[in-house]
PDB file of all heavy atoms in Angstrom:
ATOM      1  N   ASP A  31      76.903  98.824 112.612  1.00 62.00           N
ATOM      2  CA  ASP A  31      77.489  98.034 113.661  1.00 62.00           C
ATOM      3  C   ASP A  31      78.694  98.596 114.379  1.00 62.00           C
ATOM      4  O   ASP A  31      79.065  98.267 115.421  1.00 62.00           O
ATOM      5  CB  ASP A  31      77.766  96.626 113.189  1.00 62.00           C
ATOM      6  CG  ASP A  31      76.598  95.810 112.707  1.00 62.00           C
ATOM      7  OD1 ASP A  31      75.447  96.164 113.247  1.00 62.00           O
ATOM      8  OD2 ASP A  31      76.584  94.936 111.802  1.00 62.00           O
ATOM      9  N   ASP A  32      79.370  99.521 113.619  1.00 59.00           N
ATOM     10  CA  ASP A  32      80.563 100.179 114.152  1.00 59.00           C
ATOM     11  C   ASP A  32      80.362 101.540 114.772  1.00 59.00           C
ATOM     12  O   ASP A  32      81.295 102.214 115.234  1.00 59.00           O
ATOM     13  CB  ASP A  32      81.572 100.235 113.059  1.00 59.00           C
ATOM     14  CG  ASP A  32      82.064  98.885 112.516  1.00 59.00           C
ATOM     15  OD1 ASP A  32      82.170  98.043 113.457  1.00 59.00           O
ATOM     16  OD2 ASP A  32      82.348  98.780 111.372  1.00 59.00           O
ATOM     17  N   ARG A  33      79.094 101.934 114.787  1.00 64.00           N
ATOM     18  CA  ARG A  33      78.782 103.186 115.468  1.00 64.00           C
ATOM     19  C   ARG A  33      78.546 103.052 117.010  1.00 64.00           C
ATOM     20  O   ARG A  33      77.802 102.172 117.362  1.00 64.00           O
ATOM     21  CB  ARG A  33      77.528 103.793 114.891  1.00 64.00           C
ATOM     22  CG  ARG A  33      77.712 104.308 113.462  1.00 64.00           C
ATOM     23  CD  ARG A  33      76.444 104.910 113.001  1.00 64.00           C
ATOM     24  NE  ARG A  33      76.428 104.961 111.501  1.00 64.00           N
ATOM     25  CZ  ARG A  33      75.351 104.812 110.758  1.00 64.00           C
ATOM     26  NH1 ARG A  33      74.145 104.906 111.301  1.00 64.00           N
ATOM     27  NH2 ARG A  33      75.468 104.883 109.486  1.00 64.00           N
ATOM     28  N   PRO A  34      79.204 103.864 117.805  1.00 66.00           N
ATOM     29  CA  PRO A  34      78.910 103.774 119.237  1.00 66.00           C
ATOM     30  C   PRO A  34      77.694 104.505 119.624  1.00 66.00           C
ATOM     31  O   PRO A  34      77.076 105.238 118.896  1.00 66.00           O
ATOM     32  CB  PRO A  34      80.107 104.532 119.819  1.00 66.00           C
ATOM     33  CG  PRO A  34      80.457 105.478 118.743  1.00 66.00           C
ATOM     34  CD  PRO A  34      80.066 104.887 117.450  1.00 66.00           C
ATOM     35  N   SER A  35      77.204 104.242 120.771  1.00 66.00           N
ATOM     36  CA  SER A  35      76.011 104.874 121.279  1.00 66.00           C
ATOM     37  C   SER A  35      76.463 106.359 121.538  1.00 66.00           C
ATOM     38  O   SER A  35      77.748 106.585 121.654  1.00 66.00           O
ATOM     39  CB  SER A  35      75.462 104.277 122.576  1.00 66.00           C
ATOM     40  OG  SER A  35      76.474 104.231 123.612  1.00 66.00           O
ATOM     41  N   ALA A  36      75.538 107.256 121.667  1.00 67.00           N
ATOM     42  CA  ALA A  36      75.878 108.695 121.714  1.00 67.00           C
ATOM     43  C   ALA A  36      76.733 108.966 122.900  1.00 67.00           C
ATOM     44  O   ALA A  36      77.392 110.017 122.935  1.00 67.00           O
ATOM     45  CB  ALA A  36      74.642 109.425 121.623  1.00 67.00           C
ATOM     46  N   ASP A  37      76.622 108.234 123.977  1.00 66.00           N
ATOM     47  CA  ASP A  37      77.283 108.534 125.228  1.00 66.00           C
ATOM     48  C   ASP A  37      78.731 108.047 125.273  1.00 66.00           C
ATOM     49  O   ASP A  37      79.508 108.276 126.280  1.00 66.00           O
ATOM     50  CB  ASP A  37      76.501 107.999 126.474  1.00 66.00           C
ATOM     51  CG  ASP A  37      76.429 106.479 126.418  1.00 66.00           C
ATOM     52  OD1 ASP A  37      76.439 105.924 125.380  1.00 66.00           O
ATOM     53  OD2 ASP A  37      76.321 105.916 127.591  1.00 66.00           O
ATOM     54  N   VAL A  38      79.189 107.377 124.186  1.00 68.00           N
ATOM     55  CA  VAL A  38      80.601 106.880 124.145  1.00 68.00           C
ATOM     56  C   VAL A  38      81.437 107.813 123.471  1.00 68.00           C
ATOM     57  O   VAL A  38      81.203 108.203 122.301  1.00 68.00           O
ATOM     58  CB  VAL A  38      80.653 105.426 123.439  1.00 68.00           C
ATOM     59  CG1 VAL A  38      82.052 104.980 123.321  1.00 68.00           C
ATOM     60  CG2 VAL A  38      79.745 104.488 124.146  1.00 68.00           C
ATOM     61  N   PRO A  39      82.539 108.323 124.124  1.00 76.00           N
ATOM     62  CA  PRO A  39      83.457 109.208 123.505  1.00 76.00           C
ATOM     63  C   PRO A  39      84.153 108.649 122.203  1.00 76.00           C
ATOM     64  O   PRO A  39      84.371 107.434 122.161  1.00 76.00           O
ATOM     65  CB  PRO A  39      84.532 109.449 124.606  1.00 76.00           C
ATOM     66  CG  PRO A  39      83.911 109.167 125.888  1.00 76.00           C
ATOM     67  CD  PRO A  39      82.933 108.043 125.589  1.00 76.00           C
ATOM     68  N   VAL A  40      84.392 109.538 121.301  1.00 82.00           N
ATOM     69  CA  VAL A  40      85.004 109.094 120.012  1.00 82.00           C
ATOM     70  C   VAL A  40      86.282 108.223 120.240  1.00 82.00           C
ATOM     71  O   VAL A  40      86.404 107.164 119.631  1.00 82.00           O
ATOM     72  CB  VAL A  40      85.262 110.206 119.152  1.00 82.00           C
ATOM     73  CG1 VAL A  40      86.047 109.910 117.831  1.00 82.00           C
ATOM     74  CG2 VAL A  40      83.930 110.933 118.734  1.00 82.00           C
ATOM     75  N   ARG A  41      87.160 108.774 121.051  1.00 87.00           N
ATOM     76  CA  ARG A  41      88.453 108.183 121.203  1.00 87.00           C
ATOM     77  C   ARG A  41      88.293 106.782 121.869  1.00 87.00           C
ATOM     78  O   ARG A  41      88.955 105.832 121.479  1.00 87.00           O
ATOM     79  CB  ARG A  41      89.384 109.004 122.004  1.00 87.00           C
ATOM     80  CG  ARG A  41      90.805 108.430 122.218  1.00 87.00           C
ATOM     81  CD  ARG A  41      91.486 108.287 120.804  1.00 87.00           C
ATOM     82  NE  ARG A  41      92.690 107.518 120.792  1.00 87.00           N
ATOM     83  CZ  ARG A  41      93.805 108.055 120.322  1.00 87.00           C
ATOM     84  NH1 ARG A  41      93.879 109.132 119.748  1.00 87.00           N
ATOM     85  NH2 ARG A  41      94.901 107.270 120.359  1.00 87.00           N
ATOM     86  N   ARG A  42      87.363 106.587 122.789  1.00 89.00           N
ATOM     87  CA  ARG A  42      87.198 105.369 123.458  1.00 89.00           C
ATOM     88  C   ARG A  42      86.705 104.327 122.493  1.00 89.00           C
ATOM     89  O   ARG A  42      87.106 103.103 122.458  1.00 89.00           O
ATOM     90  CB  ARG A  42      86.218 105.453 124.619  1.00 89.00           C
ATOM     91  CG  ARG A  42      86.158 104.119 125.390  1.00 89.00           C
ATOM     92  CD  ARG A  42      85.533 104.208 126.753  1.00 89.00           C
ATOM     93  NE  ARG A  42      84.674 105.262 127.036  1.00 89.00           N
ATOM     94  CZ  ARG A  42      83.543 105.224 127.708  1.00 89.00           C
ATOM     95  NH1 ARG A  42      83.108 104.023 128.215  1.00 89.00           N
ATOM     96  NH2 ARG A  42      82.785 106.229 127.981  1.00 89.00           N
ATOM     97  N   HIS A  43      85.763 104.691 121.615  1.00 89.00           N
ATOM     98  CA  HIS A  43      85.263 103.699 120.639  1.00 89.00           C
ATOM     99  C   HIS A  43      86.359 103.350 119.614  1.00 89.00           C
ATOM    100  O   HIS A  43      86.475 102.167 119.278  1.00 89.00           O
ATOM    101  CB  HIS A  43      83.999 104.306 119.883  1.00 89.00           C
ATOM    102  CG  HIS A  43      83.461 103.368 118.947  1.00 89.00           C
ATOM    103  ND1 HIS A  43      82.807 102.194 119.352  1.00 89.00           N
ATOM    104  CD2 HIS A  43      83.471 103.310 117.569  1.00 89.00           C
ATOM    105  CE1 HIS A  43      82.337 101.552 118.264  1.00 89.00           C
ATOM    106  NE2 HIS A  43      82.748 102.277 117.216  1.00 89.00           N
ATOM    107  N   TYR A  44      87.062 104.301 119.168  1.00 91.00           N
ATOM    108  CA  TYR A  44      88.216 104.081 118.241  1.00 91.00           C
ATOM    109  C   TYR A  44      89.207 103.074 118.864  1.00 91.00           C
ATOM    110  O   TYR A  44      89.670 102.137 118.219  1.00 91.00           O
ATOM    111  CB  TYR A  44      88.910 105.265 117.800  1.00 91.00           C
ATOM    112  CG  TYR A  44      90.148 105.148 117.055  1.00 91.00           C
ATOM    113  CD1 TYR A  44      89.987 104.843 115.690  1.00 91.00           C
ATOM    114  CD2 TYR A  44      91.375 105.158 117.540  1.00 91.00           C
ATOM    115  CE1 TYR A  44      91.172 104.610 114.947  1.00 91.00           C
ATOM    116  CE2 TYR A  44      92.492 104.960 116.858  1.00 91.00           C
ATOM    117  CZ  TYR A  44      92.463 104.616 115.496  1.00 91.00           C
ATOM    118  OH  TYR A  44      93.515 104.281 114.747  1.00 91.00           O
ATOM    119  N   ASP A  45      89.477 103.325 120.157  1.00 92.00           N
ATOM    120  CA  ASP A  45      90.473 102.489 120.889  1.00 92.00           C
ATOM    121  C   ASP A  45      89.923 101.026 120.964  1.00 92.00           C
ATOM    122  O   ASP A  45      90.690 100.120 120.871  1.00 92.00           O
ATOM    123  CB  ASP A  45      90.845 103.070 122.281  1.00 92.00           C
ATOM    124  CG  ASP A  45      91.701 104.314 122.165  1.00 92.00           C
ATOM    125  OD1 ASP A  45      92.351 104.582 121.130  1.00 92.00           O
ATOM    126  OD2 ASP A  45      91.866 105.002 123.138  1.00 92.00           O
ATOM    127  N   ALA A  46      88.651 100.975 121.112  1.00 92.00           N
ATOM    128  CA  ALA A  46      88.064  99.546 121.268  1.00 92.00           C
ATOM    129  C   ALA A  46      88.150  98.890 119.899  1.00 92.00           C
ATOM    130  O   ALA A  46      88.470  97.684 119.896  1.00 92.00           O
ATOM    131  CB  ALA A  46      86.601  99.713 121.687  1.00 92.00           C
ATOM    132  N   LEU A  47      87.941  99.606 118.768  1.00 93.00           N
ATOM    133  CA  LEU A  47      88.118  98.988 117.464  1.00 93.00           C
ATOM    134  C   LEU A  47      89.548  98.514 117.333  1.00 93.00           C
ATOM    135  O   LEU A  47      89.825  97.391 116.817  1.00 93.00           O
ATOM    136  CB  LEU A  47      87.732  99.983 116.390  1.00 93.00           C
ATOM    137  CG  LEU A  47      86.234 100.407 116.354  1.00 93.00           C
ATOM    138  CD1 LEU A  47      85.979 101.503 115.344  1.00 93.00           C
ATOM    139  CD2 LEU A  47      85.366  99.225 116.018  1.00 93.00           C
ATOM    140  N   ARG A  48      90.498  99.354 117.677  1.00 92.00           N
ATOM    141  CA  ARG A  48      91.912  98.976 117.517  1.00 92.00           C
ATOM    142  C   ARG A  48      92.266  97.792 118.439  1.00 92.00           C
ATOM    143  O   ARG A  48      92.930  96.885 118.009  1.00 92.00           O
ATOM    144  CB  ARG A  48      92.805 100.144 117.909  1.00 92.00           C
ATOM    145  CG  ARG A  48      92.643 101.344 117.018  1.00 92.00           C
ATOM    146  CD  ARG A  48      93.345 101.099 115.641  1.00 92.00           C
ATOM    147  NE  ARG A  48      94.742 101.387 115.779  1.00 92.00           N
ATOM    148  CZ  ARG A  48      95.700 100.609 115.238  1.00 92.00           C
ATOM    149  NH1 ARG A  48      95.366  99.604 114.484  1.00 92.00           N
ATOM    150  NH2 ARG A  48      96.961 100.884 115.403  1.00 92.00           N
ATOM    151  N   ALA A  49      91.716  97.822 119.597  1.00 93.00           N
ATOM    152  CA  ALA A  49      92.037  96.709 120.591  1.00 93.00           C
ATOM    153  C   ALA A  49      91.437  95.380 120.033  1.00 93.00           C
ATOM    154  O   ALA A  49      92.013  94.354 120.288  1.00 93.00           O
ATOM    155  CB  ALA A  49      91.497  96.975 121.959  1.00 93.00           C
ATOM    156  N   GLY A  50      90.354  95.495 119.401  1.00 93.00           N
ATOM    157  CA  GLY A  50      89.728  94.312 118.787  1.00 93.00           C
ATOM    158  C   GLY A  50      90.329  93.891 117.454  1.00 93.00           C
ATOM    159  O   GLY A  50      89.786  93.099 116.779  1.00 93.00           O
ATOM    160  N   ASN A  51      91.384  94.540 117.051  1.00 92.00           N
ATOM    161  CA  ASN A  51      92.072  94.252 115.767  1.00 92.00           C
ATOM    162  C   ASN A  51      91.215  94.467 114.611  1.00 92.00           C
ATOM    163  O   ASN A  51      91.378  93.729 113.589  1.00 92.00           O
ATOM    164  CB  ASN A  51      92.676  92.789 115.855  1.00 92.00           C
ATOM    165  CG  ASN A  51      94.014  92.733 115.141  1.00 92.00           C
ATOM    166  OD1 ASN A  51      94.675  93.767 114.991  1.00 92.00           O
ATOM    167  ND2 ASN A  51      94.379  91.568 114.768  1.00 92.00           N
ATOM    168  N   ARG A  52      90.289  95.366 114.635  1.00 94.00           N
ATOM    169  CA  ARG A  52      89.377  95.719 113.548  1.00 94.00           C
ATOM    170  C   ARG A  52      89.904  96.977 112.853  1.00 94.00           C
ATOM    171  O   ARG A  52      89.325  98.013 112.896  1.00 94.00           O
ATOM    172  CB  ARG A  52      87.980  95.960 114.164  1.00 94.00           C
ATOM    173  CG  ARG A  52      87.483  94.658 114.859  1.00 94.00           C
ATOM    174  CD  ARG A  52      86.090  94.800 115.347  1.00 94.00           C
ATOM    175  NE  ARG A  52      85.239  95.017 114.118  1.00 94.00           N
ATOM    176  CZ  ARG A  52      84.046  95.766 114.350  1.00 94.00           C
ATOM    177  NH1 ARG A  52      83.633  96.193 115.473  1.00 94.00           N
ATOM    178  NH2 ARG A  52      83.364  95.942 113.251  1.00 94.00           N
TER     179      ARG A  52
END
Side-chain angles (χ1 to χ4, degrees):
D31 294 334
D32 293 325
R33 291 184 199 150
S35 61
D37 62 332
V38 175
V40 171
R41 185 61 189 234
R42 184 165 23 140
H43 183 70
Y44 174 79
D45 289 344
L47 292 171
R48 294 286 280 139
N51 217 21
R52 299 187 58 212

